[in-house]
Amino acid sequence: MKRLVILASGNGSLAQAIFDADLANQGAEVVALICDQPEAYVLQRAELRHIESYLIPMVADRDLWNIELENLIAALRPDLVVSAGFMRILPEVITTRFKIINSHPALLPNFPGAHAVRDALTAGASETGTTIHWVDAGIDTGEVIAQEKIEILPSDTEESLHERIKIIERGLIVATIRQLVPSL
Ligand code: GAR
């Protein structure tokens, strides 16, 4: 079985889609969730699915947090780390040591960063979407694996657009994991 470790910070609807996908057929299993936010709903989602979760809240010394995260990921021996709504930039020591993919709510290289949905609306873009990419130490700069477009509607708010993007994100992250597992 290929070992998947999920990173998430918030609600966790992407993580849920991965938990719910029948990846055992592909020869993969989610072995753990790592979260940086004590109040994140994703922790309850993991508990309900009996998936082990680890909480690593940010500390004043970012270097110590980086080391704690690196050691934890190493101990979990992942074949693939999946950043699914994890709102932290990972240090190079981690991005070079592990295979990591990320789901981003925009068509990279357009609108990298933490406010991708708002930025697409503010720019007056007519379409946006989702990108699954390999994670390097930059801000959403790693090699693109897959993308899917969505039209921006005149009636869209940041919230409505993000919800529509997340519907396609959930499908694309699962499809991408299925595609990658045989080559891990
Ligand atoms: C998703 O849209 C994901 O792409 C985004 O956070 C959301 C998580 O939703 N991640 C980033 O913006 C990372 N830069 P969820 O908590 O419902 O899974």
Side-chain angles (χ1 to χ4, degrees):
M1 278 285 177
K2 299 290 165 58
R3 299 169 62 83
L4 309 181
V5 169
I6 312 298
L7 309 180
S9 297
N11 179 291
S13 71
L14 271 59
Q16 184 78 55
I18 300 166
F19 298 162
D20 291 348
D22 199 1
L23 294 170
N25 287 335
Q26 262 78 36
E29 62 176 340
V30 175
V31 294
L33 166 79
I34 300 176
C35 179
D36 62 322
Q37 299 291 336
E39 305 299 331
Y41 182 58
V42 71
L43 290 164
Q44 290 180 48
R45 293 183 188 271
E47 192 179 350
L48 284 168
R49 294 302 298 254
H50 307 289
I51 291 167
E52 223 168 332
S53 62
Y54 297 85
L55 180 62
I56 308 197
M58 184 51 71
V59 290
D61 186 339
R62 172 73 199 232
D63 289 341
L64 281 182
W65 186 86
N66 288 348
I67 291 166
E68 193 183 351
L69 180 62
E70 183 188 355
N71 289 342
L72 174 57
I73 297 175
L76 292 166
R77 297 179 289 105
D79 296 290
L80 184 68
V81 177
V82 181
S83 164
F86 192 60
M87 304 306 283
R88 302 280 178 192
I89 303 301
L90 298 169
E92 194 170 9
V93 66
I94 290 182
T95 61
T96 52
R97 182 168 176 186
F98 307 102
K99 283 184 180 172
I100 310 173
I101 60 171
N102 177 53
S103 178
H104 183 75
L107 296 174
L108 293 172
N110 295 331
F111 312 118
H115 305 291
V117 180
R118 186 189 312 166
D119 292 346
L121 273 177
T122 306
S126 59
E127 61 181 20
T128 184
T130 179
T131 302
I132 313 295
H133 63 98
W134 291 107
V135 174
D136 63 16
I139 299 177
D140 304 318
T141 48
E143 185 193 342
V144 170
I145 305 168
Q147 291 186 308
E148 197 171 328
K149 283 181 191 167
I150 194 173
E151 192 188 343
I152 299 180
L153 306 174
S155 58
D156 264 325
T157 61
E158 182 179 349
E159 194 183 7
S160 70
L161 180 57
H162 201 170
E163 284 309 313
R164 291 197 298 116
I165 291 171
K166 287 209 277 183
I167 292 170
I168 58 169
E169 279 195 272
R170 294 192 276 266
L172 196 61
I173 189 80
V174 169
T176 305
I177 292 169
R178 287 192 203 286
Q179 174 201 318
L180 291 175
V181 161
S183 59
L184 292 174

